[in-house]
């Protein structure tokens, strides 16, 4: 979980730079990375999903003026804890959109498999957020995939409902498999 907090902190800082006009990161859906801690052999693999195609947000109030806008979506798997794998989805807006959901520990999901079958179930989530300079709010939804880890290679997409918003994550089967097996890039 320490890696996730560090990861979220890094991307929150990155988001602040983007919102302030610093630079615009390219999320290519292929930036697979494997990190191995040389002291305790903890392995962490992750990749970015392409925003607006492989990862997006829907729901009432999704527009330029009151957001939220999705700025990042990451599949993460680690030997650090049994909480992994997970998908972390970050949004930015001019105000809190998910504040009331920080105490919730699960959400409704719709899982679509490669064969077209659909399963509805609840999965664990964690919602975090903070305010950056300029008053923009960055909020993250972590969707914990451990209960369906053995099914991930057969999943084409997952939709998760958090409050009024519906997040969609489309799995990259090649990169997901690499991350689950901690393969070298």
């Amino acid at each position: 979980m320490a890696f996730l907090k560090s990861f979220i902190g890094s991307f929150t800082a990155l988001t602040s730079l983007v919102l302030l006009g610093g630079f615009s990161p390219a999320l290519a859906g292929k930036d697979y990375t494997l990190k191995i801690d040389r002291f305790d052999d903890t392995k962490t693999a992750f990749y970015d999903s392409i925003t607006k195609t492989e990862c997006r947000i829907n729901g009432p109030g999704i527009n330029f003026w009151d957001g939220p806008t999705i700025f990042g979506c990451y599949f993460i798997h680690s030997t650090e804890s049994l909480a992994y794998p997970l998908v972390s989805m970050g949004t930015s807006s001019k105000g809190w959109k998910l504040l009331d959901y920080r105490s919730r520990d699960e959400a409704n999901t719709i899982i679509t498999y490669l064969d077209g079958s659909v399963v509805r179930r609840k999965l664990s989530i964690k919602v975090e957020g903070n305010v950056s300079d300029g008053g923009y709010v960055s909020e993250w939804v972590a969707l914990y995939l451990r209960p369906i880890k053995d099914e991930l290679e057969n999943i084409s997409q997952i939709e998760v409902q958090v409050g009024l918003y519906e997040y969609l994550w489309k799995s990259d089967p090649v990169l997901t498999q690499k991350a689950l097996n901690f393969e070298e890039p």
Side-chain angles (χ1 to χ4, degrees):
M1 297 312 284
F3 175 79
L4 179 60
K5 287 184 180 182
S6 171
F7 189 79
I8 289 172
S10 297
F11 280 100
T12 299
L14 177 67
T15 303
S16 298
L17 286 173
V18 170
L19 292 174
L20 295 174
F23 66 96
S24 180
L27 299 178
K30 62 181 179 184
D31 296 330
Y32 173 80
T33 303
L34 174 66
K35 294 185 178 187
I36 301 173
D37 186 297
R38 19 183 236 116
F39 292 99
D40 66 8
D41 199 35
T42 298
K43 297 175 186 170
T44 302
F46 56 94
Y47 71 88
D48 303 336
S49 296
I50 301 170
T51 56
K52 298 182 182 171
T53 57
E54 293 179 351
C55 185
R56 66 177 182 258
I57 185 171
N58 299 314
I62 305 292
N63 62 52
F64 177 77
W65 297 110
D66 49 7
T69 303
I70 197 149
F71 64 80
C73 191
Y74 313 96
F75 178 86
I76 308 167
H77 185 45
S78 181
T79 59
E80 182 179 44
S81 83
L82 292 177
Y84 296 97
L86 61 83
V87 173
S88 183
M89 299 163 282
T91 59
S92 178
S93 63
K94 292 187 176 188
W96 292 98
K97 303 297 181 190
L98 303 175
L99 186 61
D100 293 340
Y101 297 90
R102 292 173 86 170
S103 62
R104 304 252 172 117
D105 57 358
E106 62 181 15
N108 294 323
T109 64
I110 301 173
I111 303 166
T112 305
Y113 292 85
L114 294 173
D115 67 4
S117 61
V118 174
V119 173
R120 288 168 177 77
R121 66 179 291 175
K122 291 186 183 281
L123 287 175
S124 296
I125 62 167
K126 181 168 184 154
V127 177
E128 293 187 8
N130 65 9
V131 179
S132 63
D133 291 338
Y136 283 93
V137 175
S138 296
E139 293 178 292
W140 288 90
V141 174
L143 177 64
Y144 295 96
L145 304 175
R146 183 72 176 189
I148 58 171
K149 179 182 174 186
D150 294 338
E151 303 169 32
L152 286 173
E153 64 187 51
N154 297 315
I155 291 175
S156 65
Q157 70 180 33
I158 299 174
E159 298 170 80
V160 59
Q161 182 183 42
V162 182
L164 295 174
Y165 302 106
E166 299 168 3
Y167 295 82
L168 170 76
W169 173 72
K170 292 185 179 181
S171 174
D172 181 313
V174 173
L175 294 179
T176 299
Q177 194 61 37
K178 283 179 81 167
L180 290 173
N181 293 325
F182 301 108
E183 293 178 22
E184 291 292 331

